Amino acid sequence: MNSPVSVVILAAGMGTRMRSKTPKVLHRAGGLTLIEHVVRLARTVAEPENIVVVVGHGADAVRSVLAPYGVGTAEQTEQLGTGHAVRCARAAAPAHGHLVVLYGDAPLLTAATLAALVDDRPETATVLTAILDDPTGYGRILRDPAGHVAGIVEHKAATPAQREIREINSGIYCFRAEKLWAHIDAIGTNNPAGEFYLTDIVELLRAAGHLTQARILADPNELLGINTRVELAKVDAIFRARKTTELMLDGVTLEKPETITVDVDVTIGADTIVESGVRLLGRTTIGADCRIGAGSILASATLADEVLVHPYSVIEDSRLGAGARVGPFARLRLNNVVGAHAHIGNFVELKNTRLGDGAKANHLAYLGDATVGARSNVGAGAITCNYDGVHKHPTTIGEGVFVGSNATLVAPVTLEAGSYVAAGSVITDTVPGEALAIGRGRQVNKPGWVSRRKK
């Protein structure tokens, strides 16, 4: 019974209730698009080449997001119901083995639940169900006296007695593929919406002598679908609550976790402390024994162990070495590498800059397209003039260099190891090692000038 598993993901709908030009499955929750969550889930039970996403509205945009995952697509040019959508995938999906049907707008299903569904390896089909206190709007599961699923009736078509049933259809199935494909063309449109409902496959299989099982899900929240931005926010909150719980159980301290935003791909080492109001986004990786100050934003940042980020700092696409210190109110944007035990102080901005081990830029500086050697010190107000209006140019600062306050380094320029730059200097030429560079006008005092001016 260890037959291969394939997955069909239905993601063609327009999502009109989202009131958005963006396809519904490309809206984000927990730091990923909805379709990415579902594809990642599918990959826990099936190889990428056995996963087919049925696209429709915004097909090109959805395919672009899916490209890195290596999955296939099939197009549903008209949205004529779930049965029609699955039929559109037939040419791209395997004809044998077991086939799972998932939904691109229902991303909360866990890998454990999906594995259990697939492990049933049904002879015909297993449908995932749940018991709800208020099942309004959901299709109801009809069972025969033996407990098998006799049919699924949509809420609109249900009788008053059937609407009293609290077991609902999730729309998520595991089929024996051969039996699904043998009967799917018999699905008709005899329903109030005039669509091809996949739910009808249960009765068609039963008529052919094939029984469908049901697996009742313990946590109905896993089945939450998204039709509005209100529901999107609810699902996002669930993803983030799952993530913060996971981190705390792994030994991370989150101060006021309800105020902290953590994307699902973030990793944090033990004994790190994250203060309130922090946002950790993308593929941010934080080592052990770090502290992330209140209100800071880290996006796809990599921090080694024992890094201290003071409050209200922004770090994007940058790497910080062990024991580095950043902030408060610092900004590191785009491709920075900060060495071990380096210090970046308040209101310092880095862009595409490498700061060596133990180097310092403690106050009000801008370093763009620069390389700063180990143990160098950049004074308050110093900047690299890296842009000439057309091109960006590099600044190279050697080891042990001292750059005085309010120095202006006009790139391309090099400050060799051990050199000094006097405060307030404009530097346009190479500064040799061990030299002092002074590039400023000489001060002139004019005694009595103020009194004469007043007269």
Side-chain angles (χ1 to χ4, degrees), residues 359-421:
K360 297 178 182 180
N362 278 326
H363 318 279
L364 301 158
Y366 169 68
L367 300 172
D369 301 299
T371 301
V372 181
R375 302 178 309 283
S376 289
N377 186 92
V378 178
I383 66 167
T384 59
C385 300
N386 57 321
Y387 184 50
D388 64 8
V390 179
H391 300 107
K392 299 290 179 70
H393 299 283
T395 297
T396 302
I397 300 174
E399 294 188 1
V401 172
F402 184 90
V403 179
S405 297
N406 287 325
T408 301
L409 310 179
V410 182
V413 70
T414 298
L415 282 57
E416 294 181 353
S419 60
Y420 269 57
V421 173

Side-chain angles (χ1 to χ4, degrees), residues 9-34:
I9 302 172
L10 308 187
M14 184 177 296
T16 53
R17 282 186 280 171
M18 296 294 287
R19 297 184 180 275
S20 173
K21 62 181 179 296
T22 301
K24 178 167 66 171
V25 296
L26 296 189
H27 284 267
R28 303 177 77 85
L32 293 172
T33 62
L34 304 182

